[in-house]
Coordinates of all heavy atoms in Angstrom, one line a residue:
M1 N 0.8 -1.2 0.0 CA 0.0 0.0 0.0 C 0.9 1.2 0.0 O 1.6 1.5 0.9 CB -0.9 0.0 1.3 CG -1.8 -1.2 1.4 SD -3.2 -1.0 0.3 CE -3.5 -2.6 -0.1
P2 N 0.8 2.1 -1.0 CA 1.6 3.3 -1.1 C 1.5 4.2 0.1 O 2.4 4.7 0.6 CB 1.2 4.0 -2.4 CG 0.5 2.9 -3.2 CD -0.1 1.9 -2.2
H3 N 0.2 4.4 0.6 CA 0.1 5.4 1.7 C 0.7 4.8 3.0 O 1.2 5.5 3.8 CB -1.4 5.7 1.9 CG -2.3 4.5 2.3 ND1 -2.7 3.6 1.4 CD2 -2.7 4.1 3.5 CE1 -3.4 2.7 2.0 NE2 -3.4 3.0 3.2
T4 N 0.7 3.5 3.2 CA 1.3 2.9 4.3 C 2.8 3.0 4.2 O 3.5 3.4 5.2 CB 1.0 1.4 4.4 OG1 -0.5 1.3 4.4 CG2 1.6 0.7 5.6
L5 N 3.4 2.9 3.1 CA 4.8 3.0 2.9 C 5.2 4.5 3.2 O 6.3 4.8 3.9 CB 5.3 2.6 1.5 CG 5.2 1.2 1.2 CD1 5.5 0.9 -0.3 CD2 6.0 0.3 2.1
G6 N 4.4 5.4 2.8 CA 4.7 6.8 3.0 C 4.7 7.1 4.5 O 5.5 7.9 5.0
A7 N 3.7 6.6 5.2 CA 3.6 6.8 6.7 C 4.8 6.2 7.4 O 5.4 6.8 8.3 CB 2.3 6.2 7.2
K8 N 5.2 5.0 7.0 CA 6.4 4.4 7.6 C 7.6 5.3 7.4 O 8.4 5.5 8.3 CB 6.6 3.0 7.0 CG 5.6 2.0 7.4 CD 6.0 0.7 6.7 CE 4.9 -0.4 6.9 NZ 5.3 -1.6 6.2
R9 N 7.8 5.7 6.1 CA 8.9 6.5 5.8 C 8.9 7.9 6.6 O 9.9 8.3 7.1 CB 9.0 6.8 4.3 CG 10.2 7.4 3.8 CD 10.3 7.5 2.3 NE 9.0 7.3 1.6 CZ 8.7 6.3 0.7 NH1 9.6 5.4 0.5 NH2 7.6 6.3 0.1
A10 N 7.7 8.5 6.6 CA 7.6 9.8 7.3 C 7.9 9.7 8.8 O 8.4 10.6 9.4 CB 6.2 10.4 7.1
L11 N 7.5 8.6 9.4 CA 7.7 8.4 10.8 C 9.0 7.7 11.2 O 9.3 7.6 12.3 CB 6.5 7.5 11.4 CG 5.2 8.2 11.3 CD1 4.0 7.2 11.5 CD2 5.1 9.3 12.2
G12 N 9.7 7.3 10.2 CA 11.0 6.6 10.4 C 10.9 5.3 11.2 O 11.7 5.0 12.1
A13 N 9.8 4.6 10.9 CA 9.6 3.3 11.6 C 9.3 2.2 10.6 O 8.8 2.4 9.5 CB 8.4 3.5 12.5
E14 N 9.5 1.0 11.0 CA 9.2 -0.2 10.2 C 7.7 -0.3 10.1 O 7.2 -0.7 9.1 CB 9.8 -1.4 10.8 CG 9.6 -2.7 10.0 CD 10.2 -2.6 8.6 OE1 11.3 -1.9 8.4 OE2 9.6 -3.2 7.6
E15 N 7.0 -0.1 11.2 CA 5.5 -0.2 11.2 C 5.0 1.2 11.5 O 5.4 1.9 12.4 CB 5.1 -1.1 12.3 CG 5.4 -2.6 12.1 CD 4.4 -3.2 11.1 OE1 3.2 -2.8 11.2 OE2 4.8 -4.1 10.4
A16 N 4.0 1.6 10.7 CA 3.4 3.0 10.9 C 2.8 3.1 12.3 O 3.0 4.1 12.9 CB 2.3 3.2 9.8
A17 N 2.1 2.1 12.8 CA 1.5 2.2 14.1 C 2.6 2.4 15.2 O 2.4 3.2 16.1 CB 0.7 0.9 14.4
S18 N 3.7 1.7 15.1 CA 4.8 1.9 16.1 C 5.3 3.3 16.0 O 5.7 3.9 17.0 CB 5.9 0.8 15.9 OG 5.4 -0.5 16.1
G19 N 5.5 3.8 14.8 CA 6.0 5.1 14.6 C 5.1 6.2 15.2 O 5.6 7.1 15.8
L20 N 3.8 6.0 15.0 CA 2.8 6.9 15.7 C 2.9 6.8 17.2 O 2.8 7.8 17.9 CB 1.4 6.6 15.2 CG 1.1 7.0 13.8 CD1 -0.3 6.5 13.3 CD2 1.2 8.6 13.6
Y21 N 3.1 5.6 17.7 CA 3.2 5.4 19.1 C 4.4 6.2 19.7 O 4.3 6.9 20.7 CB 3.3 3.9 19.4 CG 3.4 3.6 20.9 CD1 2.2 3.3 21.6 CD2 4.6 3.5 21.5 CE1 2.3 3.0 23.0 CE2 4.7 3.1 22.9 CZ 3.5 2.9 23.6 OH 3.6 2.6 24.9
D22 N 5.5 6.0 19.0 CA 6.8 6.7 19.4 C 6.6 8.2 19.3 O 7.1 8.9 20.2 CB 7.9 6.2 18.5 CG 8.3 4.7 18.8 OD1 7.9 4.2 19.8 OD2 9.0 4.2 17.9
L23 N 6.0 8.7 18.3 CA 5.8 10.1 18.1 C 4.9 10.6 19.3 O 5.2 11.7 19.9 CB 5.1 10.4 16.8 CG 4.7 11.9 16.5 CD1 6.0 12.8 16.5 CD2 4.0 12.0 15.2
A24 N 3.8 10.0 19.6 CA 3.0 10.4 20.7 C 3.8 10.4 22.0 O 3.6 11.4 22.8 CB 1.8 9.5 20.8
A25 N 4.6 9.4 22.2 CA 5.4 9.4 23.4 C 6.4 10.6 23.5 O 6.5 11.2 24.5 CB 6.2 8.1 23.5
R26 N 7.0 10.9 22.4 CA 8.0 12.0 22.3 C 7.2 13.3 22.6 O 7.8 14.3 23.2 CB 8.7 12.1 21.0 CG 9.8 11.0 20.8 CD 10.7 11.3 19.6 NE 10.0 11.5 18.4 CZ 9.7 10.5 17.5 NH1 10.0 9.2 17.9 NH2 9.1 10.7 16.4
L27 N 6.0 13.4 22.1 CA 5.2 14.7 22.3 C 4.5 14.7 23.7 O 3.8 15.7 24.0 CB 4.2 14.8 21.2 CG 4.7 14.9 19.8 CD1 3.6 14.9 18.7 CD2 5.5 16.3 19.7
R28 N 4.7 13.6 24.4 CA 4.0 13.5 25.7 C 2.5 13.6 25.6 O 1.8 14.2 26.5 CB 4.6 14.5 26.7 CG 6.1 14.3 26.9 CD 6.6 15.2 28.0 NE 8.1 14.8 28.0 CZ 8.9 15.3 28.9 NH1 8.4 16.1 29.9 NH2 10.1 15.0 28.9
A29 N 2.0 13.0 24.6 CA 0.6 12.9 24.4 C 0.0 11.8 25.3 O 0.8 10.9 25.7 CB 0.3 12.6 22.9
P30 N -1.3 11.8 25.5 CA -1.9 10.7 26.3 C -1.5 9.4 25.6 O -1.5 9.3 24.3 CB -3.4 10.9 26.2 CG -3.5 12.4 26.0 CD -2.3 12.8 25.1
M31 N -1.1 8.4 26.3 CA -0.6 7.1 25.8 C -1.5 6.0 25.9 O -1.2 4.8 25.6 CB 0.8 6.8 26.4 CG 1.9 7.8 26.1 SD 2.2 8.0 24.3 CE 2.8 6.3 23.9
N32 N -2.7 6.2 26.5 CA -3.7 5.1 26.6 C -5.1 5.7 26.6 O -5.3 6.9 26.9 CB -3.4 4.2 27.8 CG -3.6 4.9 29.1 OD1 -4.6 5.4 29.4 ND2 -2.5 4.9 29.9
L33 N -6.0 4.9 26.3 CA -7.4 5.4 26.2 C -8.0 5.7 27.5 O -8.9 6.6 27.6 CB -8.3 4.3 25.5 CG -7.9 4.0 24.0 CD1 -8.8 2.8 23.5 CD2 -8.1 5.2 23.2
Q34 N -7.4 5.2 28.6 CA -7.9 5.6 29.9 C -7.7 7.1 30.2 O -8.5 7.8 30.8 CB -7.2 4.8 31.0 CG -7.5 3.3 31.0 CD -6.6 2.6 32.0 OE1 -7.0 2.6 33.2 NE2 -5.6 2.0 31.6
Q35 N -6.5 7.6 29.7 CA -6.2 9.0 29.9 C -7.1 10.0 29.2 O -7.1 11.1 29.5 CB -4.7 9.2 29.4 CG -3.7 8.5 30.3 CD -2.3 8.6 29.8 OE1 -2.0 8.4 28.6 NE2 -1.4 9.1 30.6
I36 N -7.8 9.5 28.2 CA -8.8 10.4 27.5 C -10.2 10.0 27.9 O -11.2 10.5 27.2 CB -8.6 10.4 26.0 CG1 -8.8 9.0 25.4 CG2 -7.2 10.9 25.6 CD1 -8.8 9.0 23.9
G37 N -10.4 9.3 29.0 CA -11.7 9.0 29.5 C -12.5 7.8 29.1 O -13.6 7.6 29.5
M38 N -11.8 6.9 28.4 CA -12.5 5.6 28.0 C -12.4 4.7 29.2 O -11.5 4.7 30.0 CB -11.8 5.0 26.8 CG -12.6 3.9 26.2 SD -12.0 3.5 24.6 CE -13.4 2.6 23.9
H39 N -13.5 3.8 29.3 CA -13.5 2.8 30.4 C -13.4 1.4 29.8 O -13.8 1.2 28.7 CB -14.8 2.9 31.1 CG -15.1 4.3 31.7 ND1 -14.5 4.7 32.9 CD2 -15.8 5.3 31.3 CE1 -14.9 5.9 33.2 NE2 -15.6 6.3 32.2
A40 N -12.8 0.5 30.6 CA -12.6 -0.9 30.1 C -13.9 -1.5 29.7 O -14.0 -2.3 28.7 CB -12.0 -1.7 31.2
T41 N -15.0 -1.1 30.3 CA -16.3 -1.6 29.9 C -16.8 -1.2 28.6 O -17.7 -1.7 28.0 CB -17.4 -1.3 31.0 OG1 -17.4 0.2 31.2 CG2 -17.1 -1.9 32.3
D42 N -16.1 -0.2 28.0 CA -16.5 0.4 26.7 C -15.8 -0.4 25.5 O -16.2 -0.2 24.4 CB -16.1 1.9 26.6 CG -16.9 2.7 27.6 OD1 -18.0 2.4 28.0 OD2 -16.3 3.8 28.0
L43 N -14.8 -1.2 25.8 CA -14.0 -1.8 24.7 C -14.8 -2.7 23.8 O -14.6 -2.6 22.6 CB -12.8 -2.5 25.3 CG -11.8 -1.6 26.1 CD1 -10.7 -2.4 26.7 CD2 -11.2 -0.5 25.2
D44 N -15.6 -3.6 24.4 CA -16.4 -4.5 23.6 C -17.3 -3.7 22.7 O -17.5 -4.1 21.5 CB -17.1 -5.5 24.5 CG -16.2 -6.6 25.0 OD1 -15.2 -7.0 24.3 OD2 -16.4 -7.0 26.2
R45 N -18.0 -2.7 23.2 CA -18.9 -1.9 22.4 C -18.2 -1.2 21.3 O -18.7 -1.2 20.2 CB -19.7 -1.0 23.4 CG -20.6 -0.1 22.6 CD -21.9 -0.8 22.3 NE -22.9 0.2 21.7 CZ -23.4 0.0 20.5 NH1 -23.1 -1.0 19.8 NH2 -24.2 0.9 20.0
A46 N -17.1 -0.6 21.6 CA -16.3 0.1 20.6 C -15.9 -0.9 19.4 O -16.0 -0.5 18.3 CB -15.1 0.8 21.2
A47 N -15.5 -2.1 19.8 CA -15.1 -3.1 18.8 C -16.3 -3.5 18.0 O -16.2 -3.6 16.7 CB -14.5 -4.3 19.5
E48 N -17.4 -3.6 18.6 CA -18.6 -4.0 17.9 C -19.0 -2.9 16.9 O -19.4 -3.2 15.7 CB -19.8 -4.3 18.9 CG -21.0 -4.9 18.2 CD -20.8 -6.2 17.5 OE1 -20.0 -7.0 18.0 OE2 -21.4 -6.4 16.5
I49 N -19.0 -1.7 17.3 CA -19.4 -0.5 16.5 C -18.5 -0.5 15.2 O -18.9 -0.3 14.1 CB -19.3 0.8 17.2 CG1 -20.5 0.9 18.3 CG2 -19.3 2.0 16.3 CD1 -20.3 2.0 19.3
A50 N -17.2 -0.7 15.5 CA -16.2 -0.6 14.3 C -16.4 -1.8 13.4 O -16.3 -1.7 12.2 CB -14.8 -0.7 14.9
A51 N -16.8 -3.0 13.9 CA -17.0 -4.2 13.1 C -18.2 -4.1 12.2 O -18.2 -4.6 11.1 CB -17.0 -5.4 13.9
V52 N -19.3 -3.5 12.7 CA -20.5 -3.4 12.0 C -20.6 -2.2 11.1 O -21.5 -2.1 10.2 CB -21.8 -3.5 12.9 CG1 -21.8 -4.8 13.7 CG2 -21.9 -2.3 13.8
A53 N -19.7 -1.3 11.2 CA -19.7 -0.1 10.4 C -18.3 0.0 9.7 O -17.5 0.9 10.0 CB -20.0 1.2 11.2
P54 N -18.0 -1.0 8.9 CA -16.6 -1.0 8.3 C -16.3 0.3 7.5 O -17.2 0.9 7.0 CB -16.6 -2.2 7.4 CG -18.0 -2.6 7.2 CD -18.8 -2.0 8.3
Y55 N -15.0 0.5 7.4 CA -14.5 1.7 6.7 C -13.4 1.2 5.8 O -12.9 0.1 6.0 CB -14.0 2.7 7.7 CG -13.2 2.1 8.8 CD1 -11.8 1.9 8.6 CD2 -13.8 1.6 10.0 CE1 -11.0 1.3 9.6 CE2 -13.0 1.0 10.9 CZ -11.6 0.8 10.8 OH -10.9 0.2 11.7
P56 N -13.0 2.0 4.8 CA -11.9 1.6 3.9 C -10.6 1.4 4.7 O -10.2 2.2 5.5 CB -11.7 2.8 3.0 CG -13.0 3.5 3.0 CD -13.6 3.3 4.4
N57 N -10.1 0.2 4.5 CA -8.9 -0.2 5.3 C -8.1 -1.2 4.5 O -8.8 -2.1 3.8 CB -9.4 -0.8 6.7 CG -8.3 -0.9 7.7 OD1 -7.6 0.0 7.9 ND2 -8.2 -2.1 8.3
P58 N -6.8 -1.2 4.5 CA -6.1 -2.2 3.8 C -6.2 -3.6 4.3 O -6.0 -4.5 3.5 CB -4.6 -1.7 3.9 CG -4.6 -0.6 4.9 CD -6.0 -0.2 5.2
R59 N -6.6 -3.8 5.5 CA -6.8 -5.1 6.1 C -8.3 -5.3 6.3 O -9.0 -4.4 6.5 CB -6.1 -5.2 7.4 CG -4.6 -5.2 7.2 CD -3.8 -5.3 8.5 NE -4.2 -6.6 9.2 CZ -3.8 -6.9 10.4 NH1 -3.0 -6.0 11.1 NH2 -4.1 -8.0 11.0
P60 N -8.7 -6.6 6.3 CA -10.1 -6.8 6.5 C -10.5 -6.4 8.0 O -9.7 -6.4 8.9 CB -10.3 -8.4 6.5 CG -9.0 -8.8 5.7 CD -8.0 -7.8 6.0
I61 N -11.7 -5.9 8.1 CA -12.2 -5.4 9.4 C -12.7 -6.7 10.2 O -13.7 -7.3 9.8 CB -13.3 -4.4 9.3 CG1 -12.9 -3.2 8.4 CG2 -13.8 -4.0 10.7 CD1 -11.7 -2.4 9.0
E62 N -12.0 -7.1 11.2 CA -12.4 -8.3 12.0 C -12.6 -7.8 13.5 O -11.7 -7.2 14.0 CB -11.4 -9.3 11.9 CG -11.2 -9.8 10.5 CD -9.9 -10.7 10.3 OE1 -9.1 -10.8 11.3 OE2 -9.8 -11.3 9.3
R63 N -13.7 -8.2 14.1 CA -14.0 -7.7 15.4 C -12.9 -8.1 16.4 O -12.5 -7.3 17.2 CB -15.4 -8.3 15.9 CG -15.8 -7.6 17.2 CD -16.9 -8.4 17.9 NE -17.2 -7.8 19.1 CZ -16.5 -7.9 20.2 NH1 -15.3 -8.5 20.2 NH2 -16.9 -7.4 21.4
A64 N -12.4 -9.4 16.3 CA -11.4 -9.8 17.3 C -10.1 -9.0 17.2 O -9.5 -8.7 18.2 CB -11.2 -11.3 17.1
A65 N -9.7 -8.7 16.0 CA -8.5 -7.9 15.8 C -8.7 -6.5 16.3 O -7.8 -5.9 16.9 CB -8.1 -7.9 14.3
I66 N -9.9 -5.9 16.0 CA -10.1 -4.6 16.5 C -10.1 -4.6 18.1 O -9.6 -3.7 18.7 CB -11.5 -4.1 16.0 CG1 -11.4 -3.9 14.5 CG2 -11.9 -2.8 16.7 CD1 -12.7 -3.6 13.8
R67 N -10.7 -5.6 18.7 CA -10.8 -5.7 20.1 C -9.4 -5.8 20.7 O -9.1 -5.1 21.7 CB -11.6 -6.9 20.6 CG -11.8 -7.1 22.0 CD -12.4 -5.9 22.7 NE -12.7 -6.1 24.1 CZ -11.9 -5.9 25.1 NH1 -10.6 -5.5 24.8 NH2 -12.2 -6.1 26.3
R68 N -8.5 -6.6 20.1 CA -7.1 -6.6 20.5 C -6.4 -5.3 20.4 O -5.7 -4.9 21.3 CB -6.3 -7.7 19.8 CG -6.6 -9.1 20.2 CD -5.6 -10.1 19.5 NE -5.6 -10.1 18.1 CZ -6.4 -10.7 17.3 NH1 -7.4 -11.5 17.8 NH2 -6.3 -10.6 16.0
L69 N -6.6 -4.6 19.3 CA -6.0 -3.3 19.1 C -6.5 -2.3 20.2 O -5.7 -1.6 20.8 CB -6.4 -2.8 17.7 CG -6.0 -1.4 17.4 CD1 -4.5 -1.4 16.9 CD2 -6.9 -0.8 16.3
L70 N -7.8 -2.3 20.5 CA -8.4 -1.5 21.5 C -7.8 -1.8 22.9 O -7.6 -0.9 23.7 CB -9.9 -1.5 21.5 CG -10.6 -0.9 20.3 CD1 -12.1 -1.2 20.3 CD2 -10.4 0.6 20.4
D71 N -7.6 -3.1 23.2 CA -7.1 -3.5 24.4 C -5.7 -2.9 24.6 O -5.3 -2.4 25.6 CB -7.1 -5.0 24.6 CG -6.9 -5.5 26.0 OD1 -7.8 -5.2 26.8 OD2 -5.8 -6.0 26.3
D72 N -4.9 -3.1 23.5 CA -3.5 -2.5 23.6 C -3.6 -1.0 23.8 O -2.8 -0.5 24.6 CB -2.7 -2.8 22.3 CG -2.3 -4.2 22.2 OD1 -2.3 -5.0 23.2 OD2 -1.9 -4.6 21.1
A73 N -4.4 -0.3 23.1 CA -4.6 1.1 23.2 C -5.1 1.5 24.6 O -4.6 2.5 25.2 CB -5.5 1.7 22.1
F74 N -6.0 0.7 25.2 CA -6.5 1.1 26.5 C -5.4 1.0 27.6 O -5.4 1.9 28.4 CB -7.7 0.1 26.8 CG -8.3 0.4 28.1 CD1 -9.2 1.5 28.2 CD2 -8.0 -0.2 29.3 CE1 -9.8 1.8 29.4 CE2 -8.6 0.1 30.5 CZ -9.5 1.1 30.5
Y75 N -4.6 0.0 27.5 CA -3.5 -0.2 28.5 C -2.2 0.5 28.1 O -1.2 0.4 28.8 CB -3.3 -1.6 28.8 CG -4.5 -2.2 29.5 CD1 -5.4 -3.0 28.8 CD2 -4.8 -1.9 30.8 CE1 -6.6 -3.5 29.5 CE2 -5.9 -2.4 31.5 CZ -6.8 -3.2 30.8 OH -7.9 -3.7 31.5
G76 N -2.2 1.2 27.0 CA -1.0 1.9 26.6 C 0.2 1.0 26.1 O 1.3 1.4 26.1
R77 N -0.2 -0.2 25.6 CA 0.9 -1.1 25.1 C 1.3 -0.7 23.7 O 0.4 -0.2 22.9 CB 0.4 -2.5 25.1 CG 0.2 -3.1 26.5 CD -0.1 -4.6 26.4 NE -1.4 -4.9 25.9 CZ -2.4 -5.2 26.7 NH1 -2.3 -5.2 28.0 NH2 -3.6 -5.4 26.2
R78 N 2.5 -0.9 23.4 CA 3.0 -0.6 22.0 C 2.3 -1.5 21.0 O 2.0 -2.6 21.3 CB 4.5 -0.9 22.0 CG 5.2 -0.7 20.7 CD 6.7 -1.0 20.7 NE 7.3 -0.3 19.7 CZ 7.6 0.9 19.7 NH1 7.4 1.7 20.7 NH2 8.2 1.5 18.6
P79 N 1.8 -0.9 19.9 CA 1.1 -1.7 18.9 C 1.9 -2.9 18.5 O 3.1 -2.8 18.3 CB 0.9 -0.8 17.8 CG 1.1 0.6 18.3 CD 2.0 0.5 19.5
S80 N 1.2 -4.0 18.3 CA 1.9 -5.2 17.8 C 2.1 -5.1 16.3 O 1.3 -4.5 15.6 CB 1.0 -6.5 18.0 OG 0.7 -6.6 19.4
P81 N 3.2 -5.7 15.8 CA 3.4 -5.6 14.3 C 2.2 -6.3 13.6 O 1.6 -7.2 14.1 CB 4.7 -6.4 14.1 CG 5.3 -6.4 15.4 CD 4.2 -6.4 16.4
S82 N 1.9 -5.9 12.4 CA 0.9 -6.5 11.6 C 1.3 -7.9 11.2 O 2.5 -8.2 11.1 CB 0.7 -5.7 10.3 OG 0.4 -4.4 10.5
V83 N 0.3 -8.8 11.1 CA 0.6 -10.1 10.7 C 0.1 -10.4 9.3 O -0.6 -9.7 8.7 CB -0.1 -11.2 11.6 CG1 0.7 -11.2 12.9 CG2 -1.5 -10.9 11.9

């Protein structure tokens, strides 16, 4: 995907998500969803909303993958590399 390669290059990272994570850390931005007011009880609902209202994305929209992504974001874990 050309836009993905551009994001990787612009962020100086192998993975765009990791590059964004590092940029946010350098800027001292909130590093987890708790810091912006999300509650753990909201994660399943957020994943469901995203799964039933798909958007253009280079990877298929799968509820389980979205839920894992949200869990990492909620606890401030570095994004896992794409599989």
Side-chain angles (χ1 to χ4, degrees):
M1 301 283 148
H3 63 281
T4 303
L5 294 174
K8 290 179 189 180
R9 190 175 16 245
L11 294 167
E14 184 60 32
E15 290 280 328
S18 296
L20 287 172
Y21 181 90
D22 293 342
L23 176 62
R26 285 194 305 273
L27 295 174
R28 297 184 182 189
M31 295 301 294
N32 65 59
L33 294 175
Q34 294 176 81
Q35 292 173 310
I36 60 170
M38 191 166 198
H39 302 279
T41 55
D42 298 331
L43 297 176
D44 285 326
R45 177 79 175 121
E48 187 62 33
I49 289 168
V52 298
Y55 45 87
N57 195 48
R59 292 179 59 186
I61 304 298
E62 299 171 349
R63 189 197 178 287
I66 292 170
R67 182 59 174 83
R68 283 190 304 274
L69 176 80
L70 288 170
D71 196 68
D72 286 346
F74 184 79
Y75 291 104
R77 291 188 289 260
R78 180 180 201 77
S80 304
S82 303
V83 286

